[in-house]
Amino acid sequence: IRFHNDVMVTGFATLVENRDNSTGGHITRTKAYVEILLEEMKRDDLYTMVVTKDFEQNMIKSAPMHDIGKISTPDHILQKPEILSEDEFEVMKLHAPNGGEIIVETFSDLDNPEFLKMAYEVARFHHEKWNGKGYPEGLQEKEIPLSARIMAIADVFDAVSADRCYREAMPLDKCFKIIEEGAGKDFDPDLVRLFMGARPLIEEQYYKLK
C-alpha cells in the first residue's frame, strides 16, 4: 500500500508540474538538493537528533508536493512568458495556502499523519522568509517549520539555476551567491551554511540533471 501511495503522490505532483511549461524537471532537481541537504544535516550537531529516519523519508516524499497548489493557478498566469504583474503575482502567491488545503483534502486518508503534516507544511510555508517578509503568513525564523526552511533553499536555488520561460538560467556562481547572501534574510543561516558546504555535491547533481 505504501508503494502505491508513493506512486500516487509523485504522479499527482508531476501532473501539476506538466501544466507549467517553464519548470520541467523542477521536482526532480529540488528533491535531489533536499536529499543532499538532509545528508549534511544528519552529520551536523544541530540536527543529528532532529533528522531521524522518519523525518528524512517524510521530507524526501514531501518535497515533490511543494508546488501542488499551482493546480489551482490559472494557465494565463502559470504559463505567462513575461514577469508577472503585481496583481498576477498576488494570484500566483495563492498556490502556497491552496497547496496546503489540497494536501489535507486529497491525502487525509493516507495512514501516515507525520507525512501529511510535513507535506502540508512544505506546500504552505516554502515561500516564508527567515526575516518574516515571505508569504502567506509572514512567519519568521523558527516559526517557519524546519521542513519548509529546507524546501525554501532547494526551491530558490533551482529557480535561479534553471531556464524559465521569462529568463535564462543564471551562472552557478551567482546562484550560490544568492543563497549565501540570503542567509539570515531569506533563509535559515544554519541551513545555508550546510548547503554551501555541500557545494561540490550540489554542482554534481546540477550537471547530472541538467
Side-chain angles (χ1 to χ4, degrees), residues 128-134 138-141 144 184-187:
E128 299 286 358
K129 295 182 186 295
W130 187 256
N131 63 7
K133 293 182 179 176
L139 302 181
Q140 59 184 358
E141 299 188 7
I144 307 165
K185 292 184 284 188
D186 297 336
F187 312 116

Side-chain angles (χ1 to χ4, degrees), residues 49-204:
M49 304 299 288
V50 182
V51 183
T52 59
K53 191 173 181 183
D54 281 347
F55 182 97
E56 184 179 20
Q57 285 179 347
N58 287 330
M59 183 69 220
I60 289 167
K61 208 158 64 166
S62 296
M65 310 289 283
H66 70 279
D67 276 339
I68 210 88
K70 286 185 177 176
I71 205 163
S72 64
T73 307
D75 282 347
H76 73 275
I77 290 176
L78 197 61
Q79 298 170 4
K80 186 178 176 182
E82 299 101 28
I83 299 277
L84 299 178
S85 69
E86 273 187 48
D87 288 345
E88 288 168 336
F89 186 56
E90 287 304 313
V91 174
M92 176 63 95
K93 280 159 66 171
L94 294 173
H95 81 273
N98 288 348
E101 285 174 28
I102 288 166
I103 281 166
V104 170
E105 288 165 11
T106 311
F107 300 106
S108 57
D109 58 343
L110 292 188
D111 189 25
N112 187 346
E114 285 179 16
F115 162 68
L116 189 68
K117 180 174 182 284
M118 192 176 287
Y120 171 84
E121 290 171 349
V122 164
R124 184 175 179 89
F125 301 122
H126 69 284
H127 285 292
E128 299 286 358
K129 295 182 186 295
W130 187 256
N131 63 7
K133 293 182 179 176
Y135 63 86
E137 292 183 24
L139 302 181
Q140 59 184 358
E141 299 188 7
K142 293 186 178 173
E143 288 175 355
I144 307 165
L146 178 60
S147 55
R149 285 181 263 149
I150 294 167
M151 195 72 234
I153 293 176
D155 188 42
V156 170
F157 182 80
D158 186 64
V160 294
S161 63
D163 286 332
R164 291 292 167 97
C165 57
Y166 52 86
R167 60 146 177 79
E168 291 184 346
M170 296 181 190
L172 264 192
D173 277 347
K174 170 80 171 160
C175 299
F176 281 105
K177 200 169 171 64
I178 285 169
I179 301 299
E180 192 171 31
E181 289 178 349
K185 292 184 284 188
D186 297 336
F187 312 116
D188 181 331
D190 287 310
L191 293 179
V192 169
R193 168 176 59 82
L194 296 178
F195 187 86
M196 294 304 295
R199 178 168 176 166
L201 294 171
I202 302 282
E203 287 193 10
E204 188 182 319

